[in-house]
Amino acid sequence: MTDLKQRLLKAIGITETAAQVALGHFRNSPDIETKADQSPVTIADKETETAIREGLACAFPGEAIFGEEYGHSGEGQDMWIVDPIDGTRSFITGLPLFGMLLGYLRGNRPQLGIIRMPALGEVYAGGVGIGATCNGDKIGVSGCKKLAKARLFINEGDKIAAEVPEVFAGLVQAGELRRMGSDCYPHALVARGLADAVVDFDLQPYDYLPVSAVVEAAGGIMTDWQGQPLDMGSDGRTLTAATPELHAALIELVNA
């Protein structure tokens, strides 16, 4: 546990430095490229990941890193996983809800996670056995157990509607309060107890593994749509819930 705490403190510092790189480009109309999967990427994504990688190489020499922009480097089963700007579309359009994600995996399972929101001045962090915090203050999930009373985020709603319209039809009638969202921030709000659940879709490991570490450290649950633990091989469809009861209701809804 002491090792994880020390790692988390160093990693928070690394993301703090890298956040200044991202903010230096925010709302400054950076050039946009289109990747093979048709997702956008900017110089801010690349320079921010470089800053994180440099920080990790200094603090944890030789350890493996897997990042969205520059792939895999280093050796060993344990690995840092990086999404330098989670929400590039938000970043491009000047929306301050883009995040920065950094996680640490042992044996293919997340041990530490950081969700930094550079433009909001918020950093959510947590790990196995050490709890979760927002800007250093302890946080925890809500006690919501019933889907009918839940504050529910539907992330990537356009993709869900196109790919599994029957699931989308059920989601837009679920919960007491619904919001359409995207990217990491709704999951951070569950960890903080301000939202109760998130249904997400079409994610990559660097999108969901750092986030899951924070959610679970805050007392919540984050799995795939079948209720299985998340790892590098998960299919990118995720459920985040404050309680086991709410999680079970979400599993039933998306698999109806």
Side-chain angles (χ1 to χ4, degrees):
M1 187 181 301
T2 300
D3 173 58
L4 286 179
K5 285 183 178 179
Q6 292 174 346
R7 283 179 172 271
L8 185 58
L9 288 173
K10 290 181 180 179
I12 290 171
I14 290 167
T15 63
E16 183 176 5
T17 299
Q20 300 311 307
V21 177
L23 288 173
H25 292 286
F26 184 52
R27 295 178 175 169
N28 284 332
S29 302
D31 291 338
I32 304 167
E33 302 174 16
T34 301
K35 295 191 284 190
D37 65 358
Q38 300 304 303
S39 62
V41 62
T42 72
I43 189 173
D45 298 81
K46 295 177 179 180
E47 289 186 357
T48 301
E49 182 167 323
T50 296
I52 294 172
R53 284 176 173 270
E54 289 175 350
L56 291 172
C58 181
F60 310 103
E63 295 194 1
I65 303 171
F66 176 64
E68 179 176 10
E69 306 307 332
Y70 294 113
H72 188 275
S73 64
E75 301 295 334
Q77 190 174 25
D78 297 349
M79 182 170 64
W80 293 94
I81 188 163
V82 182
D83 189 346
I85 295 181
D86 182 70
T88 299
R89 290 178 176 87
S90 292
F91 186 90
I92 290 168
T93 55
L95 190 68
L97 299 182
F98 68 92
M100 174 186 296
L101 304 178
L102 179 60
Y104 177 67
L105 281 61
R106 281 180 178 164
N108 205 31
R109 289 285 298 143
Q111 301 297 303
L112 298 174
I114 297 168
I115 305 170
R116 182 176 285 277
M117 307 299 296
L120 300 182
E122 296 175 1
V123 57
Y124 298 81
V128 175
I130 57 179
T133 60
C134 174
N135 290 354
D137 296 326
K138 186 176 180 179
I139 57 172
V141 296
S142 76
C144 181
K145 296 182 179 181
K146 294 184 178 180
L147 183 56
K149 296 293 185 181
R151 297 160 293 182
L152 171 67
F153 272 92
I154 305 168
N155 270 13
E156 306 296 345
D158 56 339
K159 295 180 181 179
I160 297 174
E163 297 291 334
V164 278
E166 66 283 1
V167 173
F168 184 75
L171 287 171
V172 295
Q173 298 193 38
E176 184 173 68
L177 183 155
R178 289 168 303 281
R179 298 293 294 169
M180 295 293 174
S182 60
D183 311 318
C184 59
Y185 198 46
H187 300 275
L189 295 177
V190 172
R192 195 172 178 176
L194 295 175
D196 304 309
V198 186
V199 177
D200 219 326
F201 192 83
D202 193 31
L203 303 181
Q204 297 298 322
Y206 42 73
D207 296 316
Y208 58 76
L209 289 175
V211 167
S212 70
V214 177
V215 168
E216 292 175 1
I221 301 166
M222 189 170 177
T223 70
D224 68 12
W225 280 19
Q226 305 303 316
Q228 296 302 308
L230 297 172
D231 58 30
M232 290 290 290
S234 298
D235 68 6
R237 301 183 298 172
T238 69
L239 302 174
T240 295
T243 63
E245 294 86 354
L246 185 54
H247 180 251
L250 289 175
I251 290 175
E252 182 177 354
L253 189 155
V254 300
N255 291 288

